[in-house]
Amino acid sequence: QAKQTGRNRFHVFDAQHDQEVQTHHDQRARIAQALQDGELRLYYQPKVNMRTGKIFGMEALLRWQHPEQGIVGPYHFLPLVEDTDLIIDIGEWVLHQALQQMQLWAAQGLHWAVSVNIAARHFQRANFVARLGEILAGFPQVSPHKLELEILESAALEDVQHMRNVMASCQQLGVQFALDDFGTGYSSLAYLKRLPANTLKIDQTFVRDMLDDPDDLTLVDAIVGLAKAFDRRVVAEGVETVEHGLLLLQLGCDLAQGYGISRPMAADSVAGWAASYVPAEAWRAWGSTQWE
Ligand code: C2E
Ligand code: MG
Ligand code: MG
Ligand code: MG
């Protein structure tokens, strides 16, 4: 009797498991199809220098223009393919697309730095640097110095020696590096010393909460100090209000990205946004006091 129930349970579980595997398989196939059919898009979110009021650059963020569901964000589909080679095809598409956009902007006199998110599995490819070099060679009008690759701090720590080599080789091509969501990956000072990243991007959860939570404020302050001490650039993500920005300026962090500046937008909206961008008066006022 008990044995019978047990077997039935096992069969039920088994069927559910098969169902899930099948669903994931179908979903992956659908994502591959989306890439083939040209349904993926890059949106761009500005990064600005709050002290000078100038636009520093743009982060490219992946979207799926789904025929029925509309615009779908990366959290809804990238996790399904992060452990498969499809993430590499998508990553190469993203690099091509971003470079093409930089070329278009450069022709309009818009020489922004553009950053692109790259998955850990993609960086781990033995031929990553060689492929990056080939892709860059296809866009001779784009300065490689304007391209920055963002890797999650947590992913960079998986294999520090390898990441260190990849970063150094990419930097020989002129490409820059950022450690994304910095502060969430428990990197020791020794690791930071070994990873030649140009930029630290302070995780948005710390920035968003720093006005209310003294611990988050302490963390943001420490990361800004760390960046200064190691001579790295520092960018704050998640700047949702003028107050967030003002506090960051006081802490010594000038570069910011967040809904308080702009949400990510379609590529063809960016030039118009930039032409009418007016920095917050409080940021400008703070900046001018620094020169007295
Ligand atoms: P991320 O690289 O840390 O990008 C920042 C995310 O925070 C973006 O979400 C952006 O829309 C959102 N964000 C920006 N400012 C604010 C703000 O002020 N408040 C709030 N609440 N959110 C803000 P998104 O576009 O959904 O991307 C999520 C993550 O997906 C990215 O985090 C990145 O890790 C990954 N991702 C995006 N595009 C790509 C890609 O092309 N390739 C890979 N491998 N990963 C990507
Ligand atoms: Mg990023
Ligand atoms: Mg981030
Ligand atoms: Mg993130």
Side-chain angles (χ1 to χ4, degrees), residues 151-222:
I151 181 167
L152 293 175
E153 183 204 18
S154 52
L157 296 178
E158 278 172 23
D159 186 347
V160 173
Q161 186 56 44
H162 177 74
M163 261 331 287
R164 177 194 165 86
N165 293 338
V166 171
M167 283 186 184
S169 311
C170 289
Q171 283 165 335
Q172 278 174 6
L173 295 172
V175 174
Q176 305 214 23
F177 261 93
L179 292 175
D180 205 350
D181 297 2
F182 194 83
T184 60
Y186 308 105
S187 64
S188 73
L189 297 180
Y191 284 145
L192 186 58
K193 183 183 152 202
R194 286 176 61 198
L195 288 172
N198 305 81
T199 305
L200 308 184
K201 291 191 84 176
I202 309 172
D203 188 64
Q204 56 179 290
T205 57
F206 304 139
V207 175
R208 231 182 295 146
D209 299 341
M210 70 180 177
L211 294 171
D212 306 313
D213 185 339
D215 290 340
D216 285 311
L217 179 59
T218 302
L219 269 167
V220 172
D221 191 23

Side-chain angles (χ1 to χ4, degrees), residues 140-154:
Q141 301 97 318
V142 175
S143 162
H145 295 91
K146 294 285 176 186
L147 180 68
E148 185 167 69
L149 306 182
E150 297 193 3
I151 181 167
L152 293 175
E153 183 204 18
S154 52

Side-chain angles (χ1 to χ4, degrees), residues 46-50 54-56 254-256 261 273 277 283:
K47 282 179 228 171
V48 302
N49 184 319
M50 297 181 287
K54 290 211 174 97
I55 296 165
F56 177 80
D254 297 341
L255 296 173
I261 296 155
W273 175 86
Y277 171 64
W283 298 350

Side-chain angles (χ1 to χ4, degrees), residues 59 61 117 150 180 201 237:
E59 176 174 10
L61 294 161
N117 296 282
E150 297 193 3
D180 205 350
K201 291 191 84 176
E237 298 188 303

